[in-house]
Each structure stands twice: as C-alpha cells, then as structure tokens.
Amino acid sequence: MRVSELLIPTLRETPAEAEIASHKLLLRAGFIRKTAAGIYTYLPLGMRVLRKIMNIIREEMDRQGGQEMLMPVMQPAELWLESGRWHVYGPELMRFKDRHNRDFCLGPTHEEVITALMRGEIKSYKQLPQLLYHIGNKYRDERRPRFGLMRGREFIMKDLYSFDRDEEGLDKSYQKMYEAYTNVFKRCGLTFRPVEADSGAIGGSTTHEFMVLAESGEATILYCDSCDYAANVEKVSVPAAGADPNAEKLEIKEVSTPGAHTVEQVAEFLDVEPHQIIKTLIYKTDQETVAALVRGDREINEVKLYNALNCLSLELADAKTVEQVSGAPVGYAGPVNLKGIRIIADPEVAQMTNAVTGANKGDAHFINVNPGRDFKIDMVEDIRLVAAGEKCPKCDGRLLEAKGIEVGQIFKLGDKYSKVLKAHFLDEDGREKPIIMGCYGIGVGRTMAAAVEQNHDENGIIWPVNIAPYHVVVIPINVKDEEQFKAAENIYNKMVENGIEAVIDDRKERPGVKFKDADLIGYPLRVVVGKKATEENVVEVYNRRTGETVNINTEDVLNTVQKLLFARA
C-alpha cells in the first residue's frame, strides 16, 4: 500500500483524555478513535492488528479441536432469569426492552446462550466432548470507562466453551485451553504469567488469569521467589500462624483515646504495634450489615469477603450507618458488645490475645480483648489481603509483587449452568446427567493494548512482528527524484511479491516527518532509500526495536529483511 492512500491520521499532541501509554499511542498513531466514553472505532491500522491477533487465536483454538461459531449480541432476559444472573450481574448488564416490552440485554458473556443451545442439541454421551468458540462484541456498562481499550463498554472477545461428560474430561479440556492460551500470548510477543484467580460473576471452581506484566496494569499479582506459584492478590491465601497456647489472657479494660481513630494513631497513643489492634470495618450487603475484622496491619480483601458472605452487593458502610450499628463515630467501632449484626473475622483475628479494639463510643478503646471470651465470632473466614514479603502458601519462599493486565481467563464451571438450565445428556446406562462445562475468554482489543504497554518508547509503538500492522515501511527520501523513487518502488514491490507486508511512504513530506510517523506507528523495520541507492546501490535498514541501522546493498535488502523479521517473529 501507498501511505498517501492509507487512512493514518497521526497526531502530534496527546489527546487530553489519554492516561496510559497504550491509550495515548493508539490514538496518536491513528489506530483508534473515540466514539463515546468506553466505545472506540478501530481505524484500518488498528483493524489489521486486531485481525492478526484474532487469526492467531483461531489457529490455536482450532489446533486444540475448537469449532468456531457466532452467537447473538442480543440476549433474552428469560435465559438470564433462568440461570439466576439477571439480578446478580448488577448495573454493568446493559438492559433494554423491545417494542413488545420484552426484556433483553447486550451480552457481556455467553454462558446462558451457549448452554441453552447445547441442551437442545446434546442428547447422548456419544456427542461429547465439544469445544465451541466465537469472536464477537461484548458489552458492559462500566461505571468509569478508562484507559482506552483496557476498560471499555464495548469490546471484542473470544470465548470458548467446553462440554464434557465428567470432571476428568473437563480437566483435559482445561489443560488444552491452558496450552492454547500460552501459545496465543507467546505468538503475540507478550511477556505474561498465568495466575490463580477469583472466578467473579462467571462462577465455577478453578480459574486462571493470563496476566501481561506491565506497570500500568490494574491488577496486582503475587508470585513466589522460589517456586512457580503465582496468583491474583484477590485469590492469595496464606494460613494464619497458630495462637500462643501459653499466653496469659489479661483483664479487659476501657481506656480513653481522645482523637485517636486510625490504626496508626491508636498504636502510637497506646504504644502498641498495629498487629496488636483488631480493625473493625462495617459493611452493607443487599441482605444485611456485617462487621468484618482483620488485624490492624492488614487490609480487607473485599472479593474474599463478598464470596464468604455469598451476597449480591457489598459496600463499605457510610458514617451514619456505622454510628447506628455501633453507637460510635468511624474509627471507634469494635466487636465487644456489638449487637444486632453478624461478626466475620479473619483467622488471624480469631487467634489474637490481649488485642486492642474500638469501644463503640467516641474517644475510647478496649485493651486486652480476647476473641471468644469478650466477643463471639459468627464466621471465621480468610478475608484479608496478602502482601508481598509474606511466606509462599506452597513452599518456604517469599512472595513478590508485580502489576499485570488481564488479557485472558479460563474457568472450570462444572455443572453451574448446565444444572440450572437443564443441559443434560444420557450416559451409557441411559442415566441423565448434567453436562460438565468450562469457559475460556480472551480480550482481543485488550491484548492489542497490552502489547503496546509492553512494547513502546518515547517515540512510539514497537510492535511485535506477528501482530504489527505492516512489517516494513519503505521511505524514499526525495519522492521527486525519479530514480530514487523508482528504486524505492522496486524494493517495495519485491517485498510484497515475497509475502512481506510493506508500505511505501510516497507522501510529499519532509524525511523527518516520515521518520517520526514510522516510529510512532511502530513498523518493525524501516528501509530508507536516499542518494546512496542511486549512486552506490546502498540503502539503510533501521531496526525499530534495537535502534540499529545497517547499510545494505539493494540486492541484499530482501534477504536481510527476511532474516530480521524471521529472527523476531
């Protein structure tokens, strides 16, 4: 293609709304344009990258026996009511009514649709296993769309669903997808880690997220410095140390703590360590108000708390609610004499001795508080965030922290959907059993953005070869010089004839403008055709990733380019 004929509207200035590198560069390099908050149009260059990622995904899904299909974006509420998720999914579900006043939603995921389809098609164990996938648009009404393609309201996803007769079959399907996802992200040129994760609104038992490591990532992962353990911080669980059986339990006392309402202030005022304090946080769910207890040096893991309470919604209570249930302003609530609400405590709290808690009155705390003696715990559950530096749950190593961008996730659903939607099959003995399912998703646009987050510099994008919009840009320094331009066209034509995706920048622009655009867009290689091409039969080949420039005889350009691309693919 000739650059003069391409729609590549590059920008010199960064749009005000762009916050992270991928958002800034994809806008500036002319890959995407904002249509509305969280909704983007993919311009031709962006579409080329998307298509390459999708083709890699298709090849790896097909390699594992996946069969591509296409499911509708519009989904009837009846299916979601049948599965029980119409009300559970919350305000992110984009709902609407048709002209007949029937409820529909724009699909954020397709478990209901695919399960309903398969209950009508699968009758016998002889039809299993099945691996079915599609690539299409998804919709979630994000409260705060941001970071460009990272968190949008409309996005492109691949989701595959596995259907097996038993857990053993599911294990095999899950392993196939684990291998397929590993291959997909390797081929896309990404540095990533599969990590254990929480299944969230999708549900199921086992799940792994595939995290692209990047400082801009919204997710925090913890990984061991000695073994292969890695997990999303929301999932990590470390056993509590045992209580000291010889510790003397002292008499509980109320002490005045004027103005001390934070853990740090109370610790300083009473001359104790934060880990000797019980932090009491009041939460509201859709069904009740609860008190959640963790050590003073810990933070509540709201995902764990949400799962432990099995609720539909969870939020930290406001100051008015805190005072209503505890009788004290924020910072002075505690579990002793707390009436009318359930108390859920982390295992570390259950094993504390002579702790400090709020006294449920302003400017006062209790000291020498002992769980079980001084207050009753209704539920002991792991509800804390594990932090870097703690012991690995699988070995004697220590946990390290990294930021990640979730680009894919795989789930073992079991019979979660097949049971409620009555997707059954008959086994060899004619007995009816629920189909055992798994689901597996990849964010296509997010993978594209993650690639930019990992591959850029101050001048622009540095695309991995396999997903670059074009492999090579050929730049004639002077398009008015007929011999020079003809030499550039010959090189360009030879590349295209040999399967190299190339463009020729035939614009009547200064060389500096062309070089800046080439760096911004991120072509892996740049072939510069100047005076030396006509006088000495020599051109420059610039490697975008390494920054190296080599002078090559025009007869050797094709061979050199092929070697450089093949070495990096």
Side-chain angles (χ1 to χ4, degrees), residues 239-245 351:
D244 181 359
Q351 297 176 4

Side-chain angles (χ1 to χ4, degrees), residues 152-209:
R153 294 193 293 165
E154 178 183 72
F155 50 95
I156 301 169
M157 274 196 72
K158 183 284 306 179
D159 35 348
L160 180 144
Y161 298 89
S162 64
F163 300 87
D164 288 280
R165 56 187 296 183
D166 52 30
E167 292 292 338
E168 184 180 350
L170 173 58
D171 289 344
K172 291 178 182 177
S173 295
Y174 193 86
Q175 186 57 35
K176 283 183 178 181
M177 287 302 105
Y178 191 99
E179 292 172 4
Y181 276 42
T182 299
N183 291 338
V184 166
F185 299 124
K186 279 183 179 177
R187 291 179 61 186
C188 288
L190 301 174
T191 301
F192 65 95
R193 287 193 79 133
V195 303
E196 295 177 15
D198 179 74
S199 58
I202 301 296
S205 55
T206 303
T207 179
H208 283 83
E209 291 173 336

Side-chain angles (χ1 to χ4, degrees), residues 71-72 74-76 79-80 110-118:
M71 290 181 278
M74 287 177 55
Q75 301 183 16
L79 288 178
W80 284 72
H110 278 72
E111 283 79 18
E112 283 78 5
V113 172
I114 191 75
T115 308
L117 172 73
M118 296 304 276

Side-chain angles (χ1 to χ4, degrees), residues 319-513:
K320 183 179 179 182
T321 301
V322 172
E323 193 153 3
Q324 284 175 346
V325 300
S326 71
V330 173
Y332 296 98
V336 179
N337 300 323
L338 190 62
K339 306 294 184 182
I341 65 173
R342 282 202 299 163
I343 294 175
I344 178 170
D346 186 78
E348 287 186 331
V349 171
Q351 297 176 4
M352 291 176 72
T353 304
N354 301 326
V356 175
T357 73
N360 291 325
K361 63 168 68 173
D363 294 334
H365 279 76
F366 284 123
I367 61 172
N368 303 329
V369 174
N370 288 275
R373 186 194 72 180
D374 300 316
F375 67 91
K376 177 189 172 186
I377 299 173
D378 298 297
M379 186 189 304
V380 177
E381 289 284 346
D382 173 16
I383 57 170
R384 75 173 180 91
L385 279 172
V386 176
E390 294 192 54
K391 186 175 177 292
C392 172
K394 287 193 174 181
C395 75
D396 291 328
R398 291 289 160 182
L399 294 173
L400 303 176
E401 182 179 295
K403 290 293 185 181
I405 300 165
E406 181 204 329
V407 288
Q409 190 166 6
I410 58 179
F411 303 82
K412 287 184 179 180
L413 297 176
D415 60 9
K416 173 180 169 66
Y417 293 93
S418 56
K419 236 179 184 177
V420 294
L421 292 167
K422 297 178 174 61
H424 300 146
F425 71 97
L426 296 178
D427 68 9
E428 298 99 318
D429 300 321
R431 291 175 299 186
E432 190 175 75
K433 292 182 177 179
I435 300 172
I436 304 301
M437 294 175 55
C439 74
Y440 316 86
I442 291 178
V444 182
R446 184 177 278 203
T447 298
M448 172 178 167
V452 177
E453 290 296 327
Q454 275 195 343
N455 298 275
H456 70 274
D457 61 16
E458 66 278 6
N459 296 317
I461 303 168
I462 307 171
W463 286 109
V465 171
N466 283 345
I467 61 172
Y470 290 95
H471 297 142
V472 181
V473 58
V474 179
I475 299 179
I477 294 295
N478 184 0
V479 296
K480 295 179 181 178
D481 184 316
E482 289 187 14
E483 283 190 60
Q484 194 179 116
F485 189 72
K486 186 177 179 181
E489 279 200 314
N490 287 338
I491 291 170
Y492 161 73
N493 288 330
K494 190 177 289 186
M495 289 186 188
V496 173
E497 289 166 6
N498 284 271
I500 294 171
E501 298 175 17
V503 294
I504 181 168
D505 195 341
D506 60 333
R507 295 176 299 166
K508 295 177 180 177
E509 293 280 4
R510 298 187 310 276
V513 171

Side-chain angles (χ1 to χ4, degrees), residues 256-291:
S256 176
T257 53
H261 60 89
T262 68
V263 168
E264 292 75 16
Q265 289 169 343
V266 173
E268 183 178 0
F269 188 88
L270 297 177
D271 193 24
V272 297
E273 295 298 323
H275 71 261
Q276 296 174 273
I277 298 172
I278 295 176
K279 187 190 299 185
T280 303
L281 296 171
I282 308 299
Y283 279 89
K284 293 173 69 175
T285 77
D286 53 290
Q287 299 174 335
E288 60 180 331
T289 301
V290 300

